[in-house]
Amino acid sequence: MSMQDAQRRTSIPRRVLSGLHQPLPPGTVPVRPTARATPRAAVVRERAGRRLYAIDGIRLLAALMVAVHHYAGTNRVDQPGNRVWDRPVSDIMPTVFRFASYGWIGVEIFFVISGFVICMSCWGRSPRQFFVSRVIRLYPAYWFAVAFTTVVLTLLPGVWDRLRTRDVLLNVTMLQSGSGVMNVDGVYWTLWSELRFYLLFLVVVWTGLTYRKVVVFCCVWGAAAMLAPISKLPLLELVANPEGAWYFIAGLALYLMHRFGQDVLLWGILAMAWLMGQRELGIRIDEVEHVSGWRGSVLIFTVFLLAMVAIALGATDRVRGRWLVTAGALTYPLYLMHYAAGTTLINRLRDTMDARLLVVSVIAGFMLLSWLVHRFVERPVAGLLKRGLDTSFARLRNAGA
């Protein structure tokens, strides 16, 4: 018997179900799909390779929500004699304040999108590629933002206190929260949550991403996040990140829907993420925000999740546009730079024009600055970093050999 005959006799026919390969019983003859009956898995895989322009638009929308919230919707700027407006912003522009008070939900939206995009971008990549991609994505704009904000707060004191030089230098690492050092800009707290997510997910990337491994990761991380608050174990709380875990998990489940198709298990994970997420929204309102209602917050979050489900299942595949790519590129620099520097500018310009026009003008100015940072800082520095890191890893590999 020839080798080819032996291979044909010992091979097991396989079928595709929801994008997953499963063995058929012995003796079963597989049915070849015809042109009229294209397998759903093939359609899903083809969709998984496309750029999702709609996500770029949602990212910019979330960043604008956060910016408007910081300028005109926080509890801080609604206090008498506050350093930004000098009087409650709800007295200056009550309608804007009513809507802006919900803008903080943009952060939770970022977390969900991050879970989706990270899973998508590192599928099929090695741990080294994952590490390099995160470094060149996060650090160039962040380094500029730290320097920019420090200069603004030094030249224009009165609203925010500038950190000591040694604390500013530690901020350059992006690891200041782990050392108990304050952030140069308060919005950097979200980066600490992102970094912990990357570290956990790197373990899955190292083993090789599959549908099963990502599902198991979601379940294990979710269980740890539920147990952490009552465990009284600081290390578990630090790693499990109960405040943000379920948003990232929702993003991971949505990407699995996008890549492999929907199933009951993924809907169950997403439903659990929504249930745990609405609780975290309520906790944040009670302990941090104090300006918005739970019902409105949950409604906004639910609408966003439904929009992400539509994106994951292909309902927005026809959405195209280079401007959406640019919008997505502006998001990260805009988020990093808008808060401390922007409120400082509002403090200096608040008596020069209408408050609503001032908010729009400051946001427009930071969007322009964000484009300049993306074009002349992020792209060239990311290229230099990538080449340097690739060379370093190649040297490590050759030295090991």
Side-chain angles (χ1 to χ4, degrees):
M1 182 171 54
S2 67
M3 183 177 297
Q4 292 181 346
D5 291 336
Q7 290 177 345
R8 278 195 292 267
R9 292 188 60 180
T10 56
S11 62
I12 301 176
R14 305 181 72 85
R15 63 183 173 186
V16 176
L17 179 61
S18 298
L20 301 175
H21 292 284
Q22 297 184 355
L24 289 169
T28 303
V29 179
V31 179
R32 294 173 178 251
T34 64
R36 297 178 58 186
T38 303
R40 183 163 62 97
V43 177
V44 171
R45 285 201 189 96
E46 180 184 357
R47 191 172 68 232
R50 299 173 183 170
R51 183 182 183 92
L52 300 176
Y53 292 85
I55 286 184
D56 291 318
I58 292 179
R59 288 172 60 197
L60 181 62
L61 176 61
L64 293 175
M65 288 172 60
V66 174
V68 173
H69 173 68
H70 284 151
Y71 296 160
T74 66
N75 186 55
R76 175 188 176 91
V77 299
D78 200 41
Q79 299 301 313
N82 68 82
R83 293 184 178 184
V84 180
W85 295 100
D86 191 45
R87 59 195 180 101
V89 71
S90 59
D91 293 343
I92 302 173
M93 37 185 171
T95 302
V96 174
F97 172 76
R98 190 175 302 114
F99 288 97
S101 63
Y102 289 92
W104 57 270
I105 302 173
V107 170
E108 281 66 27
I109 293 174
F110 281 141
F111 287 162
V112 175
I113 292 176
S114 180
F116 188 104
V117 172
I118 291 303
C119 193
M120 175 175 63
S121 62
C122 64
W123 202 278
R125 290 189 175 186
S126 66
R128 176 187 63 80
Q129 292 172 318
F130 176 66
F131 173 80
V132 171
S133 69
R134 291 303 88 204
V135 169
I136 66 176
R137 177 69 182 96
L138 293 180
Y139 277 97
Y142 175 76
W143 287 332
F144 181 89
V146 169
F148 170 78
T149 302
T150 300
V151 170
V152 170
L153 299 188
T154 301
L155 297 178
L156 302 174
V159 178
W160 303 97
D161 297 327
R162 187 180 74 83
L163 299 184
R164 296 175 298 180
T165 301
R166 62 188 180 186
D167 292 339
V168 173
L169 291 175
L170 187 60
N171 267 251
V172 173
T173 68
M174 206 183 288
L175 303 175
Q176 62 274 9
S177 295
S179 302
V181 172
M182 292 183 63
N183 296 305
V184 167
D185 192 316
V187 299
Y188 298 169
W189 72 267
T190 61
L191 299 177
W192 185 234
S193 289
E194 293 275 357
L195 289 175
R196 286 180 284 168
F197 165 51
Y198 298 159
L199 185 61
L200 286 175
F201 202 62
L202 179 61
V203 177
V204 190
V205 175
W206 179 71
T207 64
L209 291 182
T210 64
Y211 172 91
R212 179 180 180 179
K213 289 177 182 177
V214 177
V215 167
V216 171
F217 173 78
C218 290
C219 296
V220 172
W221 190 18
M226 285 190 289
L227 295 174
I230 62 172
S231 68
K232 307 302 181 183
L233 298 174
L235 181 59
L236 180 59
E237 289 196 57
L238 176 66
V239 174
N241 187 16
E243 298 83 8
W246 285 103
Y247 303 118
F248 293 114
I249 290 171
L252 294 173
L254 285 163
Y255 179 70
L256 291 181
M257 283 188 183
H258 174 69
R259 187 177 185 88
F260 296 103
Q262 58 183 313
D263 58 42
V264 174
L265 182 57
L266 294 179
W267 278 111
I269 293 174
L270 188 61
M272 180 64 77
W274 181 88
L275 291 169
M276 298 301 293
Q278 61 83 25
R279 178 181 179 275
E280 292 299 331
L281 294 177
I283 292 174
R284 183 167 172 184
I285 291 170
D286 295 339
E287 298 182 355
V288 180
E289 300 300 336
H290 309 295
V291 289
S292 52
W294 173 82
R295 288 183 177 85
S297 301
V298 172
L299 176 61
I300 294 172
F301 182 63
T302 303
V303 170
F304 158 72
L305 278 186
L306 292 176
M308 286 298 297
V309 168
I311 293 172
L313 298 183
T316 62
D317 285 354
R318 294 186 178 181
V319 175
R320 296 284 192 277
R322 287 292 305 171
W323 71 271
L324 287 171
V325 178
T326 302
L330 297 181
T331 301
Y332 184 51
L334 174 62
Y335 177 79
L336 291 176
M337 296 186 295
H338 80 276
Y339 185 32
T343 49
T344 298
L345 289 176
I346 290 174
N347 167 265
R348 298 303 176 104
L349 301 174
R350 66 192 180 200
D351 297 325
T352 62
M353 64 183 76
D354 177 80
R356 291 163 295 185
L357 178 60
L358 178 57
V359 169
V360 172
S361 299
V362 171
I363 291 176
F366 274 101
M367 289 181 68
L368 175 60
L369 178 59
S370 298
W371 181 84
L372 293 173
V373 170
H374 171 68
R375 178 64 180 82
F376 298 105
V377 177
E378 273 193 302
R379 287 167 58 178
V381 175
L384 291 173
L385 275 176
K386 186 178 187 308
R387 288 192 291 272
L389 288 171
D390 286 343
T391 300
S392 298
F393 278 112
R395 180 176 296 175
L396 283 173
R397 185 169 56 251
N398 294 333

PDB file of all heavy atoms in Angstrom, residues 78-105:
ATOM      1  N   ASP A  78     -18.559  71.655  38.567  1.00  0.00           N
ATOM      2  CA  ASP A  78     -19.899  72.112  38.955  1.00  0.00           C
ATOM      3  C   ASP A  78     -19.940  72.648  40.376  1.00  0.00           C
ATOM      4  O   ASP A  78     -21.019  72.856  40.925  1.00  0.00           O
ATOM      5  CB  ASP A  78     -20.911  70.960  38.791  1.00  0.00           C
ATOM      6  CG  ASP A  78     -22.338  71.467  38.707  1.00  0.00           C
ATOM      7  OD1 ASP A  78     -22.554  72.505  38.027  1.00  0.00           O
ATOM      8  OD2 ASP A  78     -23.232  70.851  39.306  1.00  0.00           O
ATOM      9  N   GLN A  79     -18.780  72.852  40.968  1.00  0.00           N
ATOM     10  CA  GLN A  79     -18.712  73.389  42.323  1.00  0.00           C
ATOM     11  C   GLN A  79     -18.517  74.904  42.292  1.00  0.00           C
ATOM     12  O   GLN A  79     -17.841  75.433  41.400  1.00  0.00           O
ATOM     13  CB  GLN A  79     -17.557  72.752  43.093  1.00  0.00           C
ATOM     14  CG  GLN A  79     -17.674  71.244  43.250  1.00  0.00           C
ATOM     15  CD  GLN A  79     -18.946  70.833  43.961  1.00  0.00           C
ATOM     16  OE1 GLN A  79     -19.304  71.401  44.989  1.00  0.00           O
ATOM     17  NE2 GLN A  79     -19.643  69.849  43.402  1.00  0.00           N
ATOM     18  N   PRO A  80     -19.081  75.626  43.263  1.00  0.00           N
ATOM     19  CA  PRO A  80     -18.845  77.081  43.338  1.00  0.00           C
ATOM     20  C   PRO A  80     -17.359  77.379  43.536  1.00  0.00           C
ATOM     21  O   PRO A  80     -16.679  76.709  44.305  1.00  0.00           O
ATOM     22  CB  PRO A  80     -19.654  77.506  44.569  1.00  0.00           C
ATOM     23  CG  PRO A  80     -20.666  76.427  44.763  1.00  0.00           C
ATOM     24  CD  PRO A  80     -20.012  75.159  44.308  1.00  0.00           C
ATOM     25  N   GLY A  81     -16.855  78.348  42.806  1.00  0.00           N
ATOM     26  CA  GLY A  81     -15.466  78.744  42.949  1.00  0.00           C
ATOM     27  C   GLY A  81     -14.460  77.746  42.408  1.00  0.00           C
ATOM     28  O   GLY A  81     -13.282  77.790  42.784  1.00  0.00           O
ATOM     29  N   ASN A  82     -14.896  76.804  41.541  1.00  0.00           N
ATOM     30  CA  ASN A  82     -13.938  75.832  40.989  1.00  0.00           C
ATOM     31  C   ASN A  82     -12.891  76.545  40.153  1.00  0.00           C
ATOM     32  O   ASN A  82     -13.106  77.636  39.620  1.00  0.00           O
ATOM     33  CB  ASN A  82     -14.671  74.765  40.183  1.00  0.00           C
ATOM     34  CG  ASN A  82     -15.287  75.297  38.902  1.00  0.00           C
ATOM     35  OD1 ASN A  82     -14.626  75.447  37.888  1.00  0.00           O
ATOM     36  ND2 ASN A  82     -16.596  75.604  38.952  1.00  0.00           N
ATOM     37  N   ARG A  83     -11.721  75.908  40.007  1.00  0.00           N
ATOM     38  CA  ARG A  83     -10.582  76.544  39.356  1.00  0.00           C
ATOM     39  C   ARG A  83     -10.715  76.650  37.848  1.00  0.00           C
ATOM     40  O   ARG A  83      -9.974  77.416  37.220  1.00  0.00           O
ATOM     41  CB  ARG A  83      -9.298  75.776  39.687  1.00  0.00           C
ATOM     42  CG  ARG A  83      -8.890  75.864  41.143  1.00  0.00           C
ATOM     43  CD  ARG A  83      -7.564  75.149  41.355  1.00  0.00           C
ATOM     44  NE  ARG A  83      -7.105  75.249  42.738  1.00  0.00           N
ATOM     45  CZ  ARG A  83      -5.947  74.782  43.178  1.00  0.00           C
ATOM     46  NH1 ARG A  83      -5.123  74.150  42.336  1.00  0.00           N
ATOM     47  NH2 ARG A  83      -5.599  74.921  44.437  1.00  0.00           N
ATOM     48  N   VAL A  84     -11.634  75.926  37.266  1.00  0.00           N
ATOM     49  CA  VAL A  84     -11.766  75.947  35.810  1.00  0.00           C
ATOM     50  C   VAL A  84     -12.687  77.073  35.357  1.00  0.00           C
ATOM     51  O   VAL A  84     -12.299  77.945  34.577  1.00  0.00           O
ATOM     52  CB  VAL A  84     -12.268  74.586  35.294  1.00  0.00           C
ATOM     53  CG1 VAL A  84     -12.408  74.604  33.770  1.00  0.00           C
ATOM     54  CG2 VAL A  84     -11.315  73.467  35.717  1.00  0.00           C
ATOM     55  N   TRP A  85     -13.935  77.087  35.850  1.00  0.00           N
ATOM     56  CA  TRP A  85     -14.923  78.072  35.424  1.00  0.00           C
ATOM     57  C   TRP A  85     -15.209  79.152  36.479  1.00  0.00           C
ATOM     58  O   TRP A  85     -15.853  80.143  36.173  1.00  0.00           O
ATOM     59  CB  TRP A  85     -16.241  77.380  35.067  1.00  0.00           C
ATOM     60  CG  TRP A  85     -16.155  76.476  33.887  1.00  0.00           C
ATOM     61  CD1 TRP A  85     -16.041  75.123  33.891  1.00  0.00           C
ATOM     62  CD2 TRP A  85     -16.177  76.862  32.501  1.00  0.00           C
ATOM     63  NE1 TRP A  85     -15.998  74.623  32.611  1.00  0.00           N
ATOM     64  CE2 TRP A  85     -16.084  75.669  31.731  1.00  0.00           C
ATOM     65  CE3 TRP A  85     -16.269  78.084  31.834  1.00  0.00           C
ATOM     66  CZ2 TRP A  85     -16.079  75.673  30.344  1.00  0.00           C
ATOM     67  CZ3 TRP A  85     -16.267  78.082  30.446  1.00  0.00           C
ATOM     68  CH2 TRP A  85     -16.173  76.893  29.715  1.00  0.00           C
ATOM     69  N   ASP A  86     -14.805  78.905  37.701  1.00  0.00           N
ATOM     70  CA  ASP A  86     -14.994  79.812  38.835  1.00  0.00           C
ATOM     71  C   ASP A  86     -16.416  79.781  39.400  1.00  0.00           C
ATOM     72  O   ASP A  86     -16.662  80.263  40.494  1.00  0.00           O
ATOM     73  CB  ASP A  86     -14.624  81.253  38.459  1.00  0.00           C
ATOM     74  CG  ASP A  86     -14.555  82.167  39.685  1.00  0.00           C
ATOM     75  OD1 ASP A  86     -13.955  81.736  40.698  1.00  0.00           O
ATOM     76  OD2 ASP A  86     -15.112  83.282  39.636  1.00  0.00           O
ATOM     77  N   ARG A  87     -17.346  79.189  38.683  1.00  0.00           N
ATOM     78  CA  ARG A  87     -18.708  78.997  39.188  1.00  0.00           C
ATOM     79  C   ARG A  87     -19.273  77.721  38.578  1.00  0.00           C
ATOM     80  O   ARG A  87     -18.725  77.201  37.600  1.00  0.00           O
ATOM     81  CB  ARG A  87     -19.605  80.202  38.885  1.00  0.00           C
ATOM     82  CG  ARG A  87     -19.763  80.565  37.424  1.00  0.00           C
ATOM     83  CD  ARG A  87     -20.363  81.972  37.299  1.00  0.00           C
ATOM     84  NE  ARG A  87     -20.542  82.382  35.918  1.00  0.00           N
ATOM     85  CZ  ARG A  87     -21.696  82.355  35.265  1.00  0.00           C
ATOM     86  NH1 ARG A  87     -22.793  81.898  35.883  1.00  0.00           N
ATOM     87  NH2 ARG A  87     -21.788  82.776  34.017  1.00  0.00           N
ATOM     88  N   PRO A  88     -20.363  77.196  39.153  1.00  0.00           N
ATOM     89  CA  PRO A  88     -20.885  75.915  38.653  1.00  0.00           C
ATOM     90  C   PRO A  88     -21.182  75.955  37.163  1.00  0.00           C
ATOM     91  O   PRO A  88     -21.865  76.863  36.679  1.00  0.00           O
ATOM     92  CB  PRO A  88     -22.156  75.723  39.488  1.00  0.00           C
ATOM     93  CG  PRO A  88     -21.909  76.484  40.740  1.00  0.00           C
ATOM     94  CD  PRO A  88     -21.107  77.687  40.323  1.00  0.00           C
ATOM     95  N   VAL A  89     -20.684  74.955  36.447  1.00  0.00           N
ATOM     96  CA  VAL A  89     -20.887  74.920  35.009  1.00  0.00           C
ATOM     97  C   VAL A  89     -22.355  74.688  34.671  1.00  0.00           C
ATOM     98  O   VAL A  89     -22.821  75.083  33.590  1.00  0.00           O
ATOM     99  CB  VAL A  89     -19.988  73.839  34.374  1.00  0.00           C
ATOM    100  CG1 VAL A  89     -20.486  72.444  34.721  1.00  0.00           C
ATOM    101  CG2 VAL A  89     -19.883  74.013  32.871  1.00  0.00           C
ATOM    102  N   SER A  90     -23.101  74.090  35.591  1.00  0.00           N
ATOM    103  CA  SER A  90     -24.536  73.897  35.357  1.00  0.00           C
ATOM    104  C   SER A  90     -25.286  75.221  35.353  1.00  0.00           C
ATOM    105  O   SER A  90     -26.395  75.304  34.807  1.00  0.00           O
ATOM    106  CB  SER A  90     -25.131  72.964  36.417  1.00  0.00           C
ATOM    107  OG  SER A  90     -24.949  73.497  37.713  1.00  0.00           O
ATOM    108  N   ASP A  91     -24.705  76.249  35.946  1.00  0.00           N
ATOM    109  CA  ASP A  91     -25.298  77.588  35.874  1.00  0.00           C
ATOM    110  C   ASP A  91     -24.931  78.291  34.579  1.00  0.00           C
ATOM    111  O   ASP A  91     -25.688  79.124  34.073  1.00  0.00           O
ATOM    112  CB  ASP A  91     -24.826  78.448  37.059  1.00  0.00           C
ATOM    113  CG  ASP A  91     -25.349  77.942  38.394  1.00  0.00           C
ATOM    114  OD1 ASP A  91     -26.307  77.141  38.388  1.00  0.00           O
ATOM    115  OD2 ASP A  91     -24.784  78.348  39.428  1.00  0.00           O
ATOM    116  N   ILE A  92     -23.774  77.963  34.034  1.00  0.00           N
ATOM    117  CA  ILE A  92     -23.289  78.627  32.829  1.00  0.00           C
ATOM    118  C   ILE A  92     -23.949  78.052  31.584  1.00  0.00           C
ATOM    119  O   ILE A  92     -24.406  78.787  30.704  1.00  0.00           O
ATOM    120  CB  ILE A  92     -21.750  78.483  32.727  1.00  0.00           C
ATOM    121  CG1 ILE A  92     -21.077  79.061  33.969  1.00  0.00           C
ATOM    122  CG2 ILE A  92     -21.235  79.161  31.461  1.00  0.00           C
ATOM    123  CD1 ILE A  92     -19.584  78.800  34.022  1.00  0.00           C
ATOM    124  N   MET A  93     -23.989  76.736  31.481  1.00  0.00           N
ATOM    125  CA  MET A  93     -24.588  76.065  30.315  1.00  0.00           C
ATOM    126  C   MET A  93     -25.294  74.794  30.793  1.00  0.00           C
ATOM    127  O   MET A  93     -24.734  73.696  30.678  1.00  0.00           O
ATOM    128  CB  MET A  93     -23.536  75.759  29.242  1.00  0.00           C
ATOM    129  CG  MET A  93     -22.181  75.340  29.759  1.00  0.00           C
ATOM    130  SD  MET A  93     -20.974  75.135  28.415  1.00  0.00           S
ATOM    131  CE  MET A  93     -19.483  74.922  29.377  1.00  0.00           C
ATOM    132  N   PRO A  94     -26.492  74.937  31.342  1.00  0.00           N
ATOM    133  CA  PRO A  94     -27.197  73.803  31.962  1.00  0.00           C
ATOM    134  C   PRO A  94     -27.484  72.647  31.005  1.00  0.00           C
ATOM    135  O   PRO A  94     -27.378  71.478  31.392  1.00  0.00           O
ATOM    136  CB  PRO A  94     -28.489  74.439  32.483  1.00  0.00           C
ATOM    137  CG  PRO A  94     -28.643  75.715  31.727  1.00  0.00           C
ATOM    138  CD  PRO A  94     -27.265  76.192  31.440  1.00  0.00           C
ATOM    139  N   THR A  95     -27.840  72.934  29.765  1.00  0.00           N
ATOM    140  CA  THR A  95     -28.150  71.856  28.829  1.00  0.00           C
ATOM    141  C   THR A  95     -26.905  71.050  28.489  1.00  0.00           C
ATOM    142  O   THR A  95     -26.938  69.816  28.452  1.00  0.00           O
ATOM    143  CB  THR A  95     -28.768  72.420  27.542  1.00  0.00           C
ATOM    144  OG1 THR A  95     -29.947  73.163  27.861  1.00  0.00           O
ATOM    145  CG2 THR A  95     -29.135  71.300  26.583  1.00  0.00           C
ATOM    146  N   VAL A  96     -25.811  71.745  28.235  1.00  0.00           N
ATOM    147  CA  VAL A  96     -24.556  71.058  27.942  1.00  0.00           C
ATOM    148  C   VAL A  96     -24.139  70.201  29.129  1.00  0.00           C
ATOM    149  O   VAL A  96     -23.701  69.055  28.969  1.00  0.00           O
ATOM    150  CB  VAL A  96     -23.457  72.075  27.590  1.00  0.00           C
ATOM    151  CG1 VAL A  96     -22.106  71.373  27.438  1.00  0.00           C
ATOM    152  CG2 VAL A  96     -23.802  72.819  26.312  1.00  0.00           C
ATOM    153  N   PHE A  97     -24.277  70.746  30.339  1.00  0.00           N
ATOM    154  CA  PHE A  97     -23.897  69.994  31.532  1.00  0.00           C
ATOM    155  C   PHE A  97     -24.731  68.723  31.666  1.00  0.00           C
ATOM    156  O   PHE A  97     -24.208  67.666  32.035  1.00  0.00           O
ATOM    157  CB  PHE A  97     -24.075  70.867  32.776  1.00  0.00           C
ATOM    158  CG  PHE A  97     -23.878  70.112  34.060  1.00  0.00           C
ATOM    159  CD1 PHE A  97     -22.607  69.769  34.505  1.00  0.00           C
ATOM    160  CD2 PHE A  97     -24.973  69.714  34.828  1.00  0.00           C
ATOM    161  CE1 PHE A  97     -22.423  69.057  35.683  1.00  0.00           C
ATOM    162  CE2 PHE A  97     -24.801  69.003  35.997  1.00  0.00           C
ATOM    163  CZ  PHE A  97     -23.524  68.678  36.432  1.00  0.00           C
ATOM    164  N   ARG A  98     -26.002  68.799  31.358  1.00  0.00           N
ATOM    165  CA  ARG A  98     -26.888  67.642  31.505  1.00  0.00           C
ATOM    166  C   ARG A  98     -26.412  66.479  30.635  1.00  0.00           C
ATOM    167  O   ARG A  98     -26.424  65.321  31.069  1.00  0.00           O
ATOM    168  CB  ARG A  98     -28.320  68.031  31.140  1.00  0.00           C
ATOM    169  CG  ARG A  98     -29.364  66.973  31.488  1.00  0.00           C
ATOM    170  CD  ARG A  98     -30.777  67.475  31.215  1.00  0.00           C
ATOM    171  NE  ARG A  98     -31.078  68.686  31.959  1.00  0.00           N
ATOM    172  CZ  ARG A  98     -31.308  69.875  31.396  1.00  0.00           C
ATOM    173  NH1 ARG A  98     -31.273  70.012  30.069  1.00  0.00           N
ATOM    174  NH2 ARG A  98     -31.565  70.930  32.137  1.00  0.00           N
ATOM    175  N   PHE A  99     -25.996  66.772  29.417  1.00  0.00           N
ATOM    176  CA  PHE A  99     -25.508  65.716  28.536  1.00  0.00           C
ATOM    177  C   PHE A  99     -24.056  65.344  28.842  1.00  0.00           C
ATOM    178  O   PHE A  99     -23.681  64.167  28.815  1.00  0.00           O
ATOM    179  CB  PHE A  99     -25.639  66.154  27.071  1.00  0.00           C
ATOM    180  CG  PHE A  99     -27.056  66.171  26.568  1.00  0.00           C
ATOM    181  CD1 PHE A  99     -27.787  67.345  26.538  1.00  0.00           C
ATOM    182  CD2 PHE A  99     -27.673  64.999  26.139  1.00  0.00           C
ATOM    183  CE1 PHE A  99     -29.100  67.363  26.080  1.00  0.00           C
ATOM    184  CE2 PHE A  99     -28.986  65.002  25.687  1.00  0.00           C
ATOM    185  CZ  PHE A  99     -29.704  66.194  25.654  1.00  0.00           C
ATOM    186  N   ALA A 100     -23.235  66.358  29.136  1.00  0.00           N
ATOM    187  CA  ALA A 100     -21.813  66.108  29.386  1.00  0.00           C
ATOM    188  C   ALA A 100     -21.586  65.291  30.644  1.00  0.00           C
ATOM    189  O   ALA A 100     -20.544  64.631  30.777  1.00  0.00           O
ATOM    190  CB  ALA A 100     -21.061  67.432  29.487  1.00  0.00           C
ATOM    191  N   SER A 101     -22.539  65.302  31.561  1.00  0.00           N
ATOM    192  CA  SER A 101     -22.365  64.562  32.814  1.00  0.00           C
ATOM    193  C   SER A 101     -22.300  63.050  32.587  1.00  0.00           C
ATOM    194  O   SER A 101     -21.865  62.313  33.472  1.00  0.00           O
ATOM    195  CB  SER A 101     -23.504  64.899  33.786  1.00  0.00           C
ATOM    196  OG  SER A 101     -24.765  64.495  33.263  1.00  0.00           O
ATOM    197  N   TYR A 102     -22.726  62.596  31.407  1.00  0.00           N
ATOM    198  CA  TYR A 102     -22.658  61.167  31.079  1.00  0.00           C
ATOM    199  C   TYR A 102     -21.442  60.806  30.217  1.00  0.00           C
ATOM    200  O   TYR A 102     -21.253  59.638  29.866  1.00  0.00           O
ATOM    201  CB  TYR A 102     -23.925  60.734  30.338  1.00  0.00           C
ATOM    202  CG  TYR A 102     -25.155  60.692  31.205  1.00  0.00           C
ATOM    203  CD1 TYR A 102     -25.987  61.802  31.316  1.00  0.00           C
ATOM    204  CD2 TYR A 102     -25.479  59.542  31.921  1.00  0.00           C
ATOM    205  CE1 TYR A 102     -27.119  61.769  32.127  1.00  0.00           C
ATOM    206  CE2 TYR A 102     -26.611  59.495  32.726  1.00  0.00           C
ATOM    207  CZ  TYR A 102     -27.426  60.618  32.830  1.00  0.00           C
ATOM    208  OH  TYR A 102     -28.539  60.590  33.640  1.00  0.00           O
ATOM    209  N   GLY A 103     -20.620  61.785  29.893  1.00  0.00           N
ATOM    210  CA  GLY A 103     -19.520  61.537  28.983  1.00  0.00           C
ATOM    211  C   GLY A 103     -18.442  60.616  29.516  1.00  0.00           C
ATOM    212  O   GLY A 103     -17.667  60.042  28.738  1.00  0.00           O
ATOM    213  N   TRP A 104     -18.379  60.427  30.835  1.00  0.00           N
ATOM    214  CA  TRP A 104     -17.365  59.545  31.419  1.00  0.00           C
ATOM    215  C   TRP A 104     -17.502  58.099  30.936  1.00  0.00           C
ATOM    216  O   TRP A 104     -16.542  57.322  30.998  1.00  0.00           O
ATOM    217  CB  TRP A 104     -17.455  59.581  32.941  1.00  0.00           C
ATOM    218  CG  TRP A 104     -18.799  59.217  33.503  1.00  0.00           C
ATOM    219  CD1 TRP A 104     -19.834  60.069  33.762  1.00  0.00           C
ATOM    220  CD2 TRP A 104     -19.257  57.918  33.870  1.00  0.00           C
ATOM    221  NE1 TRP A 104     -20.920  59.383  34.258  1.00  0.00           N
ATOM    222  CE2 TRP A 104     -20.588  58.059  34.335  1.00  0.00           C
ATOM    223  CE3 TRP A 104     -18.678  56.651  33.848  1.00  0.00           C
ATOM    224  CZ2 TRP A 104     -21.343  56.966  34.779  1.00  0.00           C
ATOM    225  CZ3 TRP A 104     -19.433  55.568  34.290  1.00  0.00           C
ATOM    226  CH2 TRP A 104     -20.743  55.731  34.741  1.00  0.00           C
ATOM    227  N   ILE A 105     -18.679  57.742  30.427  1.00  0.00           N
ATOM    228  CA  ILE A 105     -18.888  56.375  29.952  1.00  0.00           C
ATOM    229  C   ILE A 105     -17.996  56.078  28.745  1.00  0.00           C
ATOM    230  O   ILE A 105     -17.756  54.911  28.409  1.00  0.00           O
ATOM    231  CB  ILE A 105     -20.375  56.161  29.610  1.00  0.00           C
ATOM    232  CG1 ILE A 105     -21.233  56.437  30.845  1.00  0.00           C
ATOM    233  CG2 ILE A 105     -20.647  54.744  29.106  1.00  0.00           C
ATOM    234  CD1 ILE A 105     -22.713  56.430  30.582  1.00  0.00           C
TER     235      ILE A 105
END
